[in-house]
Amino acid sequence: MSAIADASLLRFNPDGAQQFAGAMTQDELDRLENAFATLPDEQAGLRLRGIEALRPVLSLTGSMGRIASSILGTACRPVRALLFDKTAATNWSLPWHQDRTIVVTVRREAEGFGPWTVKDGLIHVAPPIEILAGMVTLRAHLDAVPFSNAPLLVAPNSHRFGRIAEPDIADVVARCGTAACLAERGDVWLYATPILHASEAAAEPRRRRVLQADFATGFLPDGLEWLGV
């Protein structure tokens, strides 16, 4: 497995990942911190829905929305949001994987969709890979993430392999290499949603709050609807 020396040199095309240093405004960071202060802590990932403070940041005039629309166009919209709040008490790790599910309003059987799951009361389903390939994921950092504080690891160009079977993941990571997505407070990382990624436990755990949002365009088939944020 080869490591990418400087992940800040990655570009969305062709690598599937790109850093936007200092993209968040101070006002956006303050709004998010105030909103997140009221949420449950010590959870590996908290699914966010109906939080008013998110709307300005995720809109097309907000920092995250502008970045998403630079790739998907002005018809894109946020379809899922999560808060990752890693601390010394919640110092988890995740193996290499692809994000494979979306959140919808109701369950309707549709060709190519499944399996179905319910997480935090929200209906999740794995869609055809073509839908995931048309999405982007953004991660806004409320805290600095040096190498010792468990930066996200990505395998550049792995999003081009489509849906990757579990036994083949290690081989694809070895072929693509790995990059550690270091960040300062206020940075935003943009990813192709199907990119292979992982997270190790922090060597020197400090707080690492990340707002993650998926963006998509268009409509789902057979009466399925994005739940949105």
Side-chain angles (χ1 to χ4, degrees), residues 56-81:
V57 180
L58 301 181
S59 73
L60 295 184
T61 58
S63 295
M64 297 179 76
R66 281 199 304 271
I67 294 171
S69 66
S70 72
I71 302 299
L72 298 181
T74 56
C76 75
R77 60 191 183 279
V79 294
R80 178 168 62 174

Side-chain angles (χ1 to χ4, degrees), residues 115-202:
W116 295 80
T117 54
V118 176
K119 302 174 184 177
D120 293 342
L122 304 180
I123 302 170
H124 291 66
V125 64
I129 188 62
E130 293 78 15
I131 290 177
L132 297 173
M135 298 170 59
V136 296
T137 297
L138 289 92
R139 287 168 60 94
H141 290 267
L142 277 69
D143 303 289
V145 186
F147 195 81
S148 61
N149 200 24
L152 195 74
L153 306 175
V154 298
N157 281 298
S158 59
H159 61 297
R160 300 181 183 277
F161 286 74
R163 191 184 299 277
I164 303 169
E166 190 75 23
D168 298 330
I169 287 178
D171 178 63
V172 174
V173 172
R175 292 172 62 182
C176 294
T178 65
C181 299
L182 309 182
E184 296 294 336
R185 173 178 163 84
D187 289 359
V188 174
W189 272 92
L190 165 72
Y191 308 97
T193 297
I195 200 167
L196 281 171
H197 57 285
S199 178
E200 298 176 346

